[in-house]
Amino acid sequence: MRADQQPAAPLGVVTLDGLQALLAGLRRRGFRTIGPTVRDQAIVYDDIESVDDLPRGWTDEQDGSHYRLARRDDEALFGYAVGPQAWKRFLYPPTTRLWRAEREQDGLRVIAEPPSTERLAFIGVRSCELHAIAIQDRVLLGGEYVDSHYQARREGAFIVAVNCGKAGGTCFCVSMNAGPKVEQGFDLAITELIGEDQHVFLVEAGSDEGRVALAEAPHRAATQDEIDAAQTVVARTAASMGREMRSDDVRELLLSNLEHPRWDDVASRCLSCANCTMVCPTCFCTTVEDASDLTGEHAERWRRWDSCFTMDFSYIHGGSVRASARSRYRQWMTHKLATWIDQFGSSGCVGCGRCITWCPVGIDITEEARAIRASTAAAESSS
Ligand code: SF4
Ligand code: SF4
């Protein structure tokens, strides 16, 4: 913040024009603005230049293996849940060149890929997604080895969060203590207030940079009615989650049932397609690939997303450690909900529901946990 810029009050109300001014201000300050937009019959995250690029009047219907866009009966800009993409697509891209090598007269010259200097502004980040970013921060920045590419993108990022006004059919963030109210980790947090005679956005600043951005946009002070209305929006969303999962003892439940017959049941349905890991906002596994051109003068090493559902991922000398679908699904679910806690201090699941929606056969992590719990409880009561 410059010395001549006074922080705004941390709470203000902007109209559609004010929201447009906020976006324009971020772009003027050099941010690449990325937000939700409709493409290929889904709401995806992509470059946006104005509020006209947002999914005005659209919502999403979600269930196991089911995603459809539908028209709302109003002009809400953020009236959907989450789409197939997570913000990791931009902070931790699907492919990243790590280095390249050029053959020169006296040998090979290796040139490391410099971290990105691009500043990203994310528009419309949900509470579960903020929790997911915090989890990836712990994984990729919190240990002995820091991912410099992630660090560069993450440290420069400006986050405009949105309090959810609608729960998706596969959402269970309440169960995972990850939403729907945005609590921390944002520069600005928006609650969309839409009624018969008004369409405004309550904006809360969560950082000095956020206060400056709000100060630059035309806004007015929020009324108590508007503050109350924003709380009602979040409470209504919290009460309408599409799914739920008891999470307080799920670690112990899974780790004490590693040979449960349910793993065979889920394996009979699982296609090992890896969709669940690709859409999950916290999954971070990668592999590296080397490539050279036909002349042999130029080589590159690329990192790309991988998945614990592929045979290659656990291949070590002589074969794959997890050769069956049973062992791969069990590895994924027990890592998400149990051993992730041992490794990184929190669950690896934020309850966004993407793995349920985008599983082609509708495998549902909440249902799998419930089935194991139910049979365990039944066995205990009959003994
Ligand atoms: S495991 Fe499923 S519900 Fe949990 S964060 Fe990943 S995609 Fe979302
Ligand atoms: S659980 Fe579903 S999405 Fe995940 S690998 Fe199996 S079939 Fe694919």
Side-chain angles (χ1 to χ4, degrees), residues 133-321:
I133 290 171
I135 288 171
Q136 289 215 318
D137 286 353
R138 285 197 286 281
V139 173
L140 299 166
L141 305 177
E144 193 177 344
Y145 302 101
V146 168
D147 186 314
S148 58
H149 295 282
Y150 180 88
Q151 184 179 38
R153 290 167 178 268
R154 178 72 179 94
E155 287 181 351
F158 185 97
I159 292 183
V160 180
V162 170
N163 282 309
C164 289
K166 170 192 179 290
T170 55
C171 289
F172 58 103
C173 63
V174 169
S175 302
M176 304 312 293
N177 299 315
K181 178 161 174 43
V182 167
E183 303 277 5
Q184 59 184 357
F186 59 88
D187 294 289
L188 294 173
I190 291 174
T191 309
E192 185 167 23
L193 301 175
I194 188 162
E196 282 180 9
D197 54 358
Q198 75 162 1
H199 187 186
V200 295
F201 304 86
L202 184 74
V203 184
E204 179 187 357
S207 70
D208 284 346
E209 207 167 3
R211 285 186 176 83
V212 171
L214 180 56
E216 284 179 358
H219 68 280
R220 61 169 171 78
T223 65
Q224 190 57 48
D225 280 354
E226 287 166 334
I227 295 169
D228 293 346
Q231 286 173 353
T232 302
V233 166
V234 176
R236 198 178 54 219
T237 305
S240 59
M241 291 282 115
R243 296 287 199 276
E244 62 177 340
M245 183 175 73
R246 185 176 158 192
S247 63
D248 59 336
D249 66 346
V250 72
R251 175 185 176 278
E252 291 69 28
L253 178 76
L254 295 184
L255 293 184
S256 59
N257 282 288
L258 294 176
E259 300 303 329
H260 196 282
R262 187 72 185 189
W263 302 120
D264 291 314
D265 183 280
V266 72
S268 71
R269 290 172 278 136
C270 177
L271 308 174
S272 287
C273 68
N275 263 18
C276 47
T277 53
M278 295 296 112
V279 296
C280 179
T282 66
C283 279
F284 59 89
C285 289
T286 56
T287 188
V288 288
E289 289 177 342
D290 293 341
S292 59
D293 65 7
L294 290 175
T295 67
E297 300 295 313
H298 176 86
E300 297 186 346
R301 171 162 291 183
W302 285 77
R303 177 175 73 187
R304 70 163 173 80
W305 290 354
D306 202 348
S307 168
C308 52
F309 279 93
T310 69
M311 288 285 275
D312 277 356
F313 188 71
S314 70
Y315 185 93
I316 54 176
H317 176 72
S320 287
V321 172

Side-chain angles (χ1 to χ4, degrees), residues 45 86-92 120-142 150 153-155 157-161 178 184-187 280-283 340 346-350 354:
Y45 296 144
W87 297 100
K88 74 176 182 181
R89 176 174 193 79
F90 300 96
L91 293 172
Y92 192 60
L120 305 172
F122 298 152
I123 317 298
V125 182
R126 307 302 175 130
S127 176
C128 64
E129 298 181 309
L130 280 177
H131 282 261
I133 290 171
I135 288 171
Q136 289 215 318
D137 286 353
R138 285 197 286 281
V139 173
L140 299 166
L141 305 177
Y150 180 88
R153 290 167 178 268
R154 178 72 179 94
E155 287 181 351
F158 185 97
I159 292 183
V160 180
Q184 59 184 357
F186 59 88
D187 294 289
C280 179
T282 66
C283 279
W340 201 298
S346 74
S347 172
C349 175
V350 296
R354 287 182 176 93

